[in-house]
Amino acid sequence: MTSEMFQLILMTVVTAATPLILAAIGELVTERAGVLNLGVEGMMIMGAALGFAGAYASGSTTIGALCGIVAGTLMAALFGLLTIGLAINQVASGLALTIFGLGLSGLLGTGFVGLKRDAAPQLHIQGLSDLPYMGELVFGEDPFVYAAILLVAGTAWFLSRTRAGLALRATGDNHQSAHALGLPVRRTRFLATLFGGACAGLAGAYLTLAYTPFWSPGMTAGRGWIALALVVFASWRPWRIVLGALLFGGATVLQLHAQAASFGLPGQLLSAAPYLATIVALLFLSSGARRNAAAPAALGQPFIAPR
Amino acid sequence: MRIDLEPRPARTLALDIGAPIVALVAAIIFGGIVIWLLGKSPTLAFEVYFINPLLEGWSLQELAVKACPLVLIAVGLSFCYRANLWNIGAEGQFITGGLLGGWLGILTHNEAYQGLIGGWWILPSMLVLGAIGGALYALIPALLRVWLGASEILTSLMLVYVAELGLDWLVRGPFKDPEGFNFPQSVVFDDIARLPFLAEGERLHAGVLLALIAALIAAFVFARSLFGFEVRLIGEAPRAARFAGFDDRKLTLTVFVISGALAGLAGICEVAGQIGQLTPKISPGYGFTAIIVAFLGRLSPVGILVAALVLALTYIGGEAAQVELSLPSDMTRAFQGILLMCVLVADIATRYRIRLRLGAAA
């Protein structure tokens, strides 16, 4: 295999990993604040549909990405209203959000099925991107990839180095104490949920604007759920999300190449690989005490202010 | 703006029964707004979705046929959800049940294995195999949770995708009808391997009776048995349940097996009832819709019977709306999502007074 080909394969791994990184880093912040939003799939598919619609109508990838972010944020706001405002069970609300998002995105996207637009352009820096072996991999990705890395870096810094990040983690670990300290538990959780929605919307927009530059209903194909699993896999640490997402991206790309090479294995078995890999990954990292130490202690528990 | 929740002193029966009805009405209004925004007539849509299917004999039968899998699955899920365990992979258990039971239907095609004793044993065995198929598949997330602490939510959902792909592979490969012109479907089962029909028209099959029986048994278990009490106690007060000596690991496995078996039974009823063969798509999302049925029925078997009819109506109305109003089938899904949210809000409103305080800080 030539180094050129190797670099191309690595680049497809990165593009397969990017939507997972984006969605998972948002969900990580949400969960660190103590909110389990199972609606990632629904927020993501809405981002994909409205991202494509916005980009198609305006002709601009940036506006498309913004539309995706707004769509995800609005969905998250609905979730926040239910679970934080009304203290409704988060698991059930998340499922409702996913079902609703899958349906509504199908309705809104009806007019856009079959349309195509150019994928988001890739960065090109004269000289650097042309470097052999690594040039394109490091300096020639599409802008979403760099945005994803910046988001992870920013989140890691925010959570571990800022006062607000500390308050957010306190809210997720023990909302009663946080409330007693005078921290605004519900406002913090609502904002964290909105951030998660914005990231999921952006992740969805990435699918229709860069990954496969067209819209089709249900195209997230479980990526939102895989992102949820990634947060567990990463033990709620930002940089481990990148590692996990690259592993998953690698599995996806490997699976595609295996299908093309047709080793005689049924294609369906290979298509099932990412889902099976998710289960295996969950097993490795959820066993025993380590997981319980890593998970935010108040994750999924509704908070009702004592009166 | 701030929302305050004040606990209600006592729950009343009127609230308990009224809440789901209010939720349904609210969901219909929100759904109507969506349809209006799409430029269609909400009143006409209401007629197509909720009135017309109730006016004709065949669509009433169809209603019962569509409600049957929803009741079976949702009754099973109510065991899990009452115990605060989140099996959301019933769709996968439905498929594996249909597969394992359907496998026997394929084996016994053309009167094979019927020799001296005849074919009377085939259908009951298929039903049992269907329940086993669903139960074993549900046991995977349950065991992973009990042994390794893996989230049953994520594992059960991932297994849905795996089951769908498995079914797809089997009906295009080993289970394919060799004389079927290469269509991705199995042979049509012999009549003796199919559920008998209860009425003319070859729609209303005996699976509907199984659904009724399952709901009645579950109602009895919840109301009268120690096991039913144990399920509720573990869900609502896990520490108290542990002090009382209940084994929550055993209970986790048990409720998953019950819910998987019922989902698998629903799967084989669908395959041996309506469809009569294995095809790449044996469920229009019954496993997920049943989650809404379980909540709309407030996790009570009798409530689930009513709720399943309501959700079955959205399927039939949805099909009609595709033809008459050219509304895509996604409308049904969006409506189901809206309905679930309304049900959850209504449920919280039975327990708390919801007060909006404008101008107050969150």
Side-chain angles (χ1 to χ4, degrees):
Chain A
M1 195 188 296
T2 64
S3 64
E4 280 297 296
M5 241 179 93
F6 191 63
Q7 177 169 291
L8 272 178
I9 291 178
L10 284 183
M11 285 184 72
T12 53
V13 170
V14 172
T15 46
T18 303
L20 298 176
I21 296 178
L22 285 169
I25 196 71
E27 178 67 16
L28 181 136
V29 171
T30 308
E31 290 192 14
R32 273 318 245 316
V35 180
L36 178 66
N37 186 350
L38 291 183
V40 182
E41 181 86 1
M43 304 188 295
M44 209 168 160
I45 191 91
M46 285 292 285
L50 289 188
F52 187 82
Y56 196 85
S58 67
S60 148
T61 303
T62 318
I63 291 182
L66 285 176
C67 287
I69 291 174
V70 170
T73 312
L74 287 177
M75 291 287 282
L78 180 61
F79 179 83
L81 181 72
L82 294 175
T83 59
I84 302 162
L86 297 174
I88 294 172
N89 181 304
Q90 294 175 8
V91 177
S93 305
L95 287 174
L97 197 71
T98 291
I99 297 171
F100 176 61
L102 286 170
L104 190 62
S105 65
L107 282 179
L108 296 174
T110 321
F112 294 95
V113 175
L115 297 180
K116 267 197 142 167
R117 65 186 298 279
D118 293 330
Q122 288 162 337
L123 187 73
H124 190 90
I125 303 172
Q126 199 66 44
L128 287 176
S129 303
D130 303 324
L131 287 174
Y133 308 117
M134 300 288 283
E136 227 183 323
L137 183 64
V138 181
F139 298 106
E141 305 281 356
D142 57 66
F144 291 91
V145 175
Y146 302 106
I149 300 295
L150 282 178
L151 262 176
V152 174
T155 304
W157 171 79
F158 171 80
L159 286 176
S160 62
R161 295 267 178 268
T162 67
R163 203 178 169 80
L166 181 65
L168 184 141
R169 284 185 286 137
T171 309
D173 276 328
N174 190 331
H175 48 220
Q176 299 296 359
S177 306
H179 178 73
L181 284 170
L183 296 174
V185 171
R186 294 204 290 178
R187 193 194 308 158
T188 309
R189 288 193 167 169
F190 194 69
L191 291 176
T193 305
L194 291 186
F195 178 77
C199 289
L202 184 62
Y206 179 78
L207 291 177
T208 44
L209 298 180
Y211 193 69
T212 57
F214 56 83
W215 155 256
S216 70
M219 65 185 295
T220 41
R223 284 194 184 82
W225 295 101
I226 292 180
L228 276 159
L230 263 180
V231 178
V232 182
F233 178 83
S235 326
W236 290 268
R237 308 270 172 84
W239 284 110
R240 292 192 197 170
I241 288 210
V242 179
L243 180 73
L246 285 173
L247 284 175
F248 273 98
T252 314
V253 170
L254 208 65
Q255 174 257 118
L256 288 175
H257 282 280
Q259 295 222 13
S262 74
F263 298 129
L265 287 170
Q268 292 92 340
L269 177 67
L270 295 166
S271 302
Y275 307 114
L276 291 170
T278 307
I279 297 175
V280 173
L282 277 173
L283 298 190
F284 269 105
L285 280 119
S286 29
S287 48
R290 263 212 332 243
R291 172 184 184 270
N292 295 335
L299 183 61
Q301 293 170 15
F303 174 70
I304 296 172
R307 299 165 51 80
Chain B
M1 192 187 86
R2 190 175 73 188
I3 302 168
D4 280 346
L5 299 175
E6 292 169 11
R8 287 184 193 272
R11 299 177 69 153
T12 62
L13 190 65
L15 267 176
D16 273 348
I17 295 175
I21 297 172
V22 173
L24 183 60
V25 172
I28 289 175
I29 293 172
F30 284 126
I33 293 174
V34 172
I35 286 171
W36 177 68
L37 289 175
L38 290 168
K40 317 266 170 170
S41 153
T43 47
L44 190 61
F46 180 77
E47 231 181 274
V48 171
Y49 267 93
F50 293 100
I51 307 293
N52 290 350
L54 297 174
L55 299 180
E56 284 176 67
W58 71 266
S59 51
L60 284 176
Q61 281 193 31
E62 195 66 21
L63 200 63
V65 170
K66 289 256 181 342
C68 162
L70 294 176
V71 169
L72 283 170
I73 303 171
V75 164
L77 291 179
S78 68
F79 281 88
C80 283
Y81 296 170
R82 279 190 187 217
N84 211 6
L85 291 164
W86 298 96
N87 176 9
I88 60 173
E91 181 84 0
Q93 294 140 24
F94 179 97
I95 291 173
T96 52
L99 262 178
L100 197 62
W103 170 67
L104 186 63
I106 295 171
L107 279 185
T108 57
H109 175 63
N110 263 343
E111 301 186 6
Y113 301 99
Q114 294 186 16
L116 294 172
I117 53 168
W120 55 268
W121 54 276
I122 296 175
L123 184 65
S125 312
M126 281 168 76
L127 295 177
V128 170
L129 278 178
I132 293 176
L136 287 180
Y137 209 57
L139 211 48
I140 301 174
L143 284 172
L144 295 181
R145 183 192 155 95
V146 168
W147 285 339
L148 298 165
S151 156
E152 79 280 13
I153 302 174
L154 294 171
T155 48
S156 65
L157 188 96
M158 287 294 139
L159 287 170
V160 174
Y161 293 99
V162 176
E164 281 176 347
L165 289 162
L167 171 68
D168 193 75
W169 173 62
L170 284 170
V171 294
R172 287 172 204 277
F175 283 6
K176 191 168 67 181
D177 179 2
E179 286 155 26
F181 305 103
N182 226 7
F183 279 110
Q185 54 194 31
S186 76
V187 293
V188 178
F189 307 148
D190 288 0
D191 279 348
I192 204 159
R194 295 190 59 175
L195 284 166
F197 294 107
L198 303 176
E200 280 178 39
E202 307 242 306
R203 303 298 297 173
L204 190 67
H205 56 73
V208 175
L209 298 179
L210 288 177
L212 275 176
I213 295 169
L216 289 178
I217 293 177
F220 177 80
V221 168
F222 284 135
R224 293 265 175 259
S225 74
L226 178 64
F227 175 70
F229 173 69
E230 198 179 331
V231 169
R232 256 187 36 221
L233 189 63
I234 289 216
E236 284 168 24
R239 268 169 64 83
R242 240 167 277 140
F243 285 130
F246 292 142
D247 181 351
D248 58 348
R249 294 159 69 99
K250 205 176 93 195
L251 186 104
T252 302
L253 299 180
T254 316
V255 293
F256 264 86
V257 164
I258 292 175
S259 110
L262 284 172
L265 189 62
I268 187 59
C269 281
E270 191 72 7
V271 169
Q274 276 216 78
I275 311 179
Q277 67 187 140
L278 285 172
T279 62
K281 193 135 185 69
I282 57 174
S283 163
Y286 286 135
F288 296 110
T289 307
I291 297 173
I292 304 168
V293 171
F295 280 106
L296 183 62
R298 310 201 60 147
L299 305 184
S300 106
V302 179
I304 284 171
L305 284 178
V306 180
L309 288 171
V310 173
L311 268 299
L313 201 55
T314 66
Y315 271 121
I316 298 167
E319 282 167 16
Q322 277 186 56
V323 182
E324 293 176 34
L325 296 166
S326 61
L327 271 175
S329 62
D330 297 297
M331 183 62 223
T332 307
R333 220 178 203 174
F335 177 77
Q336 291 180 348
I338 295 172
L339 178 60
L340 180 50
M341 289 187 219
C342 291
V343 169
L344 294 169
V345 172
D347 189 58
I348 215 81
T350 61
R351 285 186 280 149
Y352 296 96
R353 277 203 185 82
I354 299 166
R355 296 224 188 280
L356 276 181
R357 288 185 211 283
L358 298 168

